[in-house]
Every structure is written in structure tokens, then in C-alpha cells.
Amino acid sequence: MAEFQQNLWAPWRMEYVAGLDERDDGCFLCRSAVPSPNDERDLVLWRGPRTLVIMNRFPYTSGHVLIAPLPHTAEFEQLEDEVLLEMMQQARDAKRAIQHGLKADGFNVGMNIARCAGAGLPGHLHLHVVPRWAGDVNFMAVLGDVKVIPQALTASRQAILDAAQALGLGPAATP
Ligand SMILES: [Zn+2]
């Protein structure tokens, strides 16, 4: 694990290992693009007019959030400016809510484009917002080898939603 610990930003590893792949059961981002009674089960945080904010079911750290355009697209260059802007605004708001709700010390924000770059779901672009804590190296190394407990995902989601509410972000910002 020495290499893994030196290179902390390695979300491609988790995505690939977890098999987040549209070949298996369709695109989970598209499935979550429209409001649904299953939003809690599907770990949706909130939606904007053009974007989806959702927990990563196979997180690299606790509170790992994905931000995606609503339409299914792999082409970064073809996203409209309004979509790009909203993605960054959502990243900013998600970062604030995660920082507040989960007491994160730092963040990695980034995108894996195409499978060779580690994208587990290359057909539908998404931005990763990964919270980090001082001294979390060992925790992450362990997390890579264990099954994530669903209750932990639900609890993280609720903590982020509560923080967003308190800060007037995400769903609290939507009229
Ligand atoms: Zn999709």
C-alpha cells in the first residue's frame, strides 16, 4: 500500500474497483436525474436546474459527493457555460456543507475523463468532491478494502443535508 499512501488522490482506484459501470445496470446518474421518492435510498442530496448532487455509493472517503450535469454526456467540451457554472457552484456549496456537517479539514475536487483516466462511469461526466481529514491516510487505505456500510452513507448524507439547510445552501437555496 506504500504507493497508495503516497498518492492520496486516487479516486479512479475506488471507482474502478467498485465497478460503477453503465454496462452493469444502466447509468445511476441518469436514474437519479429526476426527483423520485427513492431519493434518500439513492443517496441524492439535491438537484439544480441543470445538475445533480449525489453521494458516491462507493466513496473514497466518508462524505464523497458527485456533481453531474443532468443529461447523459461524456463530452466536457460540449457542456454549456450555464452547466459548467452550475457544476462549480454546486461543488462550492457541497464543499461548504460537507465541511460544516462532517468537519472536514480539506478537500480534493476533480474529474476523471475517460476510462484510461480512471473514470468508472465514463459515459456520464461527474465532478468528485472528496473531503479529507488531517491524518486520514490510514483510514482511506482501510476503506479501500472493506465494504461500505449503507447506514454510514445515509448518516453522511443526512449530516450534509442538515448542514446545507443550516447554511441556506442546496435544497434550502431552491425556492
Ligand atoms: Zn447518465
Side-chain angles (χ1 to χ4, degrees), residues 1 9 27 34 40 49 56-58 62-63 79 93 103 105 121 125 136 142-143 154:
M1 298 302 282
W9 172 237
C27 177
V34 293
E40 181 175 353
N56 189 346
R57 190 172 294 280
F58 305 101
S62 179
L79 292 178
D93 289 356
K103 311 292 181 232
D105 298 318
L121 185 68
L125 279 180
D136 65 9
V142 168
L143 192 64
T154 303

Side-chain angles (χ1 to χ4, degrees), residues 27-30 70-73 121 123-124:
C27 177
F28 77 98
L29 293 174
C30 284
L70 293 178
H72 187 89
T73 178
L121 185 68
H124 197 144

Side-chain angles (χ1 to χ4, degrees), residues 52-88:
L52 168 72
V53 183
I54 187 171
M55 307 289 297
N56 189 346
R57 190 172 294 280
F58 305 101
Y60 191 57
T61 67
S62 179
H64 180 168
V65 166
L66 306 175
I67 295 159
L70 293 178
H72 187 89
T73 178
E75 301 302 325
F76 192 24
E77 297 87 337
Q78 289 177 15
L79 292 178
E80 295 173 357
D81 287 353
E82 292 78 7
V83 177
L84 293 168
L85 176 61
E86 190 177 302
M87 286 178 72
M88 290 311 292

